[in-house]
Amino acid sequence: PGEGKGGDAFLVSNNCPEKYGEKKTYVEYNLTVHYYCLLMSSGIWQRGEEDEGVDGFLITDIRKEVNRAAKLKCNICKKKGASIGCVAPKCKRSYHFPCGLRKECIFQFMEDFRSYCWEHKPVQIFPDKESRGPSQCTICLDLVEHLPLYSVLKSPCCKNAWFHRECLQYQALSAGIFFFRCTVCNNKDKFQEEMLRMGIHIPEKDASWELEENAYQDLLQCYQHCDIRRCLCKEGRDYNEPDSKWEIKRCQSCGSRGTHLACSSMKSWEQNWECVECRSIFAKSGKYSKQKKRSLATSEKTDGTTCLLEEPSPKYPRQSPGSQHSFLLQTQRREVSSILKELKQQINTKTTRLNINTENIWNTALKGFRQRNFRPTNTIEVKFTNCKNRLKTDTSGSKHLFFQLLMGHLQNSSLFEGSSAKNLSLDSQALKENLYFEAGKMIAVSLVHGGPSPGFFSKILFNCLVYGPENVKPNLEDVADTDVVQTIKKIKYANSLSSLQSTIHECYDFLAAAGCLRPITALCDKNMLVNDLLTHHVIKRIISPLESFRQGLKTLGVLEKMEMHPVAFSSIFCHKPERLSAETLCDLFTIHCSSGVKEVGGADFWIGYLQDVESGESVVTLEDILYFVTGSFSIPPIGFDPEPTIKFLHVGYPIGNRLLNCLELPITKTYESFKNKMEFTIRNTLRVERE
């Protein structure tokens, strides 16, 4: 902290964020600090919330640290105020942060923010056989010597990648934790781990180029050209008239080809369209799917003109609508998985324990999420307080089960209304207690921490969340209250002005409560009235719960990603996970076995057993098998970490290691013996846990 160290003039006057972190002055506290000096000071910890004091460092703690440092002399400049000490055992050196930089000390911006003096600092090991000649720094392209110097760093993942320390530090500050990686092989985890060890500061922020306003403005130019072989528009292929049959629709796959709606016989913008190149690619890969509305090679239009449409080759078989839908969902869920894995990088190793009672899942979960030390970025550990079996201490399985029970409770809670596809309800007490916010927060945390997705959202709710309620038009099917539906139907299907006015007279109180009273002078006025009623009951009525719920979903950046990838996220918010198949489980597990195991048919026994279970020739289900190994009955949107594996060992019965997601299978001579052991172990294990 700049107010009490020796060398104050240097610290307070020098403003170099790249070297010392952001310099902040707090007039009300008579305090000026550099951020890095604060982080590295040995006698202070972040005991407050992020918005308390100075980035979570309490003012009283900072003043105590200033007083402590005022008694310590810097071993480099010999002035007092040396708040940073070397963590090496028995080393008593203390120094200022800028002095340490000049003396080439190492400051590790991770975990406990350790510092090492020039004598005890970590170094990189260079094999003697490696070339000692200079090579290019892969960032600035100037020469860098292959020598064990403070100013030189070597990539841990690429043999011939060398960097200047200064180049790497500027690259890290610009790229941030999400984009900082090896410039040669693009490795992220191993590269960041080594650079943090060697004192490179990687800030927890987005890349600078992502934060620059209008940085990608040139990429927002939309393709506006009709590429159909015979364009019917008299104004030309580049003519585009929105909200008409001459509006240009772009290919849903590549976006680089277009068609007028009329030129492809599309009646509305909502219909999907793919260009001939993309359809050809999908066909050759065996993944081509037809649009929902059937297209003909030549389609007679209402005005008598003929439209020639591009069709895929008849050599490629058509997929059924069901297989098309399944393929699209799988593609979208793979996209969601990679996005959630990116968000999971925020999770640190600090643990927060939730004590959960399965018979009172909501209240105990709410208590855990509201406890003072709960942080969404901490690793979550779940302990079931009312269980006597292994679930009580089984961290991985407990967490999966907790989130599964929590999502099930939310689906059937008073916060939502509807049958299967649900919208938010209006619960004034829940709104007062901020429960909508907590529900959104719980869903976001579940997704990033490896839990299940809700899967019960209605399309209207999801669209309100990602596009904003002002951009969504509800339908009669979105109204959950059957009495309200019947009333709206009476108005909608009135066939004369007198019957309409009579219905409105009967429903006067209902319309007044909704704020939808309006003068009716013609039969067509009913359309506006119906729209007003739908908007009120589906959207305006729940606008406060919706906004609170949205704020909760912003936790860990989930809502932002939903808004960026709405189609992908709708696959997990509006659809339940597909039933497991033998093929799915076979692909999920990686088999590790020796050649000796192959001889006795271990892998073949496993595949055969999955097929028997799928066909119903077993007392267990595929979901039981997955739960036995991972503690989850379904594959979470983010996937499993670590990825499930199988080992064939000389064990008596199967063992499900939920900490490692590893299934240890016995080596048997016959398939019957293998199946009997699987049935016995899984059935009895699950029976005990259910009891």
Side-chain angles (χ1 to χ4, degrees):
E3 81 165 14
K5 288 187 176 181
D8 283 346
F10 174 83
L11 277 171
V12 178
S13 63
N14 192 295
N15 186 14
C16 183
E18 294 80 10
K19 281 189 174 182
Y20 314 119
E22 183 181 1
K23 184 177 78 171
K24 296 183 179 180
T25 298
Y26 299 86
V27 178
E28 65 271 32
Y29 304 127
N30 189 26
L31 189 69
T32 298
V33 296
H34 283 105
Y35 183 54
Y36 293 176
C37 297
L38 195 57
L39 288 178
M40 287 297 164
S41 291
S42 301
I44 190 170
W45 290 267
Q46 196 177 27
R47 296 195 303 126
E49 303 291 340
E50 288 292 333
D51 55 352
E52 289 187 81
V54 180
D55 295 316
F57 293 92
L58 302 181
I59 299 301
T60 54
D61 291 347
I62 295 176
R63 296 200 184 281
K64 288 180 183 178
E65 179 63 0
V66 168
N67 294 333
R68 185 190 73 85
K71 304 172 186 176
L72 300 174
K73 184 182 291 186
C74 175
N75 287 80
I76 301 172
C77 71
K78 308 304 179 185
K79 295 180 181 179
K80 289 191 175 181
S83 64
I84 305 173
C86 177
V87 299
K90 299 182 181 180
C91 181
K92 298 182 179 180
R93 292 191 179 98
S94 297
Y95 34 88
H96 304 110
F97 185 85
C99 295
L101 285 181
R102 291 197 298 274
K103 191 66 174 176
E104 300 183 347
C105 298
I106 290 291
F107 302 94
Q108 294 181 341
F109 292 86
M110 61 178 181
E111 298 173 353
D112 298 326
F113 294 88
R114 296 182 292 272
S115 172
Y116 295 87
C117 70
W118 54 93
E119 185 176 328
H120 300 113
K121 65 185 178 185
V123 295
Q124 290 186 308
I125 305 299
F126 299 164
D128 294 333
K129 62 181 180 180
E130 278 193 5
S131 169
R132 293 288 181 176
S135 63
Q136 279 187 325
C137 169
T138 59
I139 298 176
C140 71
L141 302 183
D142 284 344
L143 292 179
V144 55
E145 294 290 339
H146 295 189
L147 297 173
L149 302 175
Y150 174 83
S151 59
V152 175
L153 289 172
K154 183 181 183 301
S155 171
C157 42
C158 292
K159 182 178 180 180
N160 297 315
W162 298 76
F163 311 89
H164 297 111
R165 174 181 287 271
E166 188 175 7
C167 294
L168 265 181
Q169 184 58 78
Y170 277 92
Q171 177 85 345
L173 292 175
S174 176
I177 196 167
F178 297 112
F179 293 90
F180 181 61
R181 56 195 69 199
C182 177
T183 56
V184 177
C185 71
N186 222 27
N187 180 281
K188 182 178 178 182
D189 296 336
K190 188 176 180 181
F191 187 78
Q192 285 193 7
E193 181 181 358
E194 175 64 1
M195 294 307 125
L196 286 169
R197 186 182 76 90
M198 294 306 297
I200 297 297
H201 178 220
I202 310 172
E204 292 185 4
K205 67 178 186 66
D206 212 341
S208 58
W209 57 83
E210 295 287 340
L211 302 175
E212 184 180 344
E213 190 173 351
N214 296 326
Y216 305 102
Q217 194 65 35
D218 293 340
L219 300 179
L220 300 180
Q221 298 296 324
C222 293
Y223 187 80
Q224 301 285 346
H225 185 81
C226 179
D227 296 290
I228 293 297
R229 189 167 15 181
R230 183 179 295 177
C231 178
L232 303 175
C233 183
K234 295 179 180 179
E235 301 295 331
R237 291 181 177 272
D238 295 325
Y239 181 72
N240 180 39
E241 183 181 349
D243 299 321
S244 75
K245 65 180 181 180
W246 302 120
E247 183 172 6
I248 290 180
K249 171 86 174 180
R250 288 175 293 281
C251 172
Q252 65 173 354
S253 297
C254 69
S256 60
R257 291 289 184 271
T259 175
H260 290 113
L261 298 183
C263 295
S264 289
S265 295
M266 288 191 288
K267 295 180 180 179
S268 71
W269 174 262
E270 283 73 26
Q271 286 181 252
N272 292 328
W273 179 80
E274 286 176 341
C275 64
V276 66
E277 289 87 353
C278 289
R279 283 188 283 176
S280 176
I281 292 170
F282 285 134
K284 290 176 182 176
S285 65
K287 296 177 181 178
Y288 174 71
S289 59
K290 289 289 294 172
Q291 299 172 12
K292 288 183 180 178
K293 297 209 174 183
R294 186 181 176 189
S295 299
L296 299 177
T298 56
S299 174
E300 293 295 329
K301 295 179 60 60
T302 56
D303 57 5
T305 60
T306 301
C307 173
L308 298 179
L309 303 182
E310 299 144 315
E311 282 283 74
S313 167
K315 294 179 181 178
Y316 303 112
R318 299 170 184 245
Q319 290 188 347
S320 67
S323 63
Q324 171 193 358
H325 179 69
S326 176
F327 168 69
L328 288 175
L329 280 180
Q330 290 173 10
T331 303
Q332 291 160 2
R333 284 169 177 169
R334 280 195 295 268
E335 182 181 353
V336 170
S337 177
S338 63
I339 295 169
L340 293 177
K341 286 175 181 176
E342 178 184 325
L343 292 178
K344 191 180 179 181
Q345 294 175 0
Q346 305 170 77
I347 309 304
N348 56 51
T349 55
K350 187 176 180 181
T351 301
T352 295
R353 169 173 284 190
L354 302 180
N355 294 314
I356 302 298
N357 186 324
T358 56
E359 296 176 359
N360 191 9
I361 189 75
W362 172 249
N363 289 328
T364 51
L366 194 61
K367 182 179 179 180
F369 272 71
R370 285 177 168 176
Q371 62 184 329
R372 188 172 181 181
N373 67 337
F374 180 82
R375 299 286 185 279
T377 52
N378 287 354
T379 298
I380 293 176
E381 181 181 299
V382 174
K383 178 182 179 182
F384 288 120
T385 57
N386 61 325
C387 289
K388 297 180 180 179
N389 51 48
R390 68 168 177 163
L391 277 177
K392 187 168 184 177
T393 55
D394 179 8
T395 304
S396 176
S398 298
K399 186 165 70 172
H400 282 302
L401 182 58
F402 161 63
F403 282 124
Q404 179 182 323
L405 294 173
L406 184 58
M407 292 302 106
H409 175 88
L410 283 175
Q411 180 175 359
N412 299 310
S413 71
S414 62
L415 302 179
F416 296 90
E417 63 182 15
S419 52
S420 55
K422 294 181 178 287
N423 194 11
L424 288 175
S425 65
L426 178 58
D427 185 329
S428 56
Q429 186 61 31
L431 191 60
K432 183 179 178 181
E433 296 176 9
N434 208 25
L435 298 186
Y436 290 98
F437 170 83
E438 297 293 349
K441 180 179 177 181
M442 289 172 180
I443 290 172
V445 169
S446 174
L447 290 174
V448 179
H449 282 264
S453 59
F456 57 82
F457 283 26
S458 64
K459 284 290 184 183
I460 196 76
L461 172 57
F462 183 81
N463 289 341
C464 283
L465 291 170
V466 298
Y467 300 118
E470 68 279 2
N471 298 314
V472 177
K473 185 178 179 181
N475 297 313
L476 195 58
E477 294 77 17
D478 299 318
V479 181
D481 191 318
T482 55
D483 293 335
V484 173
V485 171
Q486 292 304 317
T487 303
I488 296 177
K489 280 184 175 181
K490 286 182 182 180
I491 297 172
K492 183 176 181 179
Y493 297 119
N495 54 15
S496 67
L497 180 58
S498 59
S499 65
L500 176 61
Q501 291 173 334
S502 175
T503 301
I504 290 174
H505 180 73
E506 293 173 10
C507 305
Y508 182 87
D509 292 339
F510 171 77
L511 295 173
C516 296
L517 285 174
R518 60 169 57 246
I520 301 296
T521 57
L523 185 61
C524 62
D525 291 340
K526 68 177 183 179
N527 297 327
M528 188 67 72
L529 181 56
V530 168
N531 287 335
D532 288 347
L533 285 169
L534 289 173
T535 302
H536 169 76
H537 280 281
V538 179
I539 296 177
K540 288 185 177 180
R541 187 174 60 93
I542 57 139
I543 203 72
S544 295
L546 181 68
E547 182 53 35
S548 181
F549 191 63
R550 289 184 86 254
Q551 293 301 318
L553 277 174
K554 288 182 179 180
T555 304
L556 295 171
V558 170
L559 181 62
E560 181 184 358
K561 294 297 184 183
M562 289 169 61
E563 293 170 338
M564 293 170 61
H565 308 274
V567 177
F569 273 91
S570 70
S571 68
I572 64 168
F573 276 85
C574 303
H575 301 275
K576 289 291 185 183
E578 293 182 324
R579 285 188 62 84
L580 294 176
S581 66
E583 183 181 5
T584 302
L585 277 193
C586 192
D587 292 339
L588 181 66
F589 285 86
T590 301
I591 297 178
H592 296 289
C593 59
S594 63
S595 57
V597 172
K598 291 180 181 178
E599 291 174 5
V600 295
D604 292 337
F605 290 173
W606 162 248
I607 296 171
Y609 180 64
L610 291 180
Q611 292 171 343
D612 276 359
V613 174
E614 184 178 40
S615 61
E617 300 176 17
S618 169
V619 295
V620 301
T621 65
L622 295 173
E623 287 75 17
D624 290 339
I625 297 173
L626 185 64
Y627 181 78
F628 177 74
V629 184
T630 66
S632 175
F633 285 106
S634 62
I635 302 173
I638 198 173
F640 290 106
D641 183 22
E643 294 183 357
T645 56
I646 288 176
K647 292 182 180 179
F648 286 93
L649 303 171
H650 291 285
V651 292
Y653 291 91
I655 300 172
N657 186 336
R658 292 178 182 172
L659 190 63
L660 301 176
N661 291 329
C662 179
L663 176 59
E664 298 176 0
L665 295 177
I667 298 173
T668 61
K669 293 183 178 180
T670 66
Y671 173 71
E672 288 71 20
S673 175
F674 178 86
K675 181 177 180 180
N676 289 336
K677 291 186 176 187
M678 293 290 288
E679 306 271 89
F680 175 82
T681 305
I682 296 175
R683 180 181 57 185
N684 285 286
T685 301
L686 268 60
R687 179 179 56 80
V688 170
E689 291 188 2
R690 282 165 183 156
E691 290 173 355

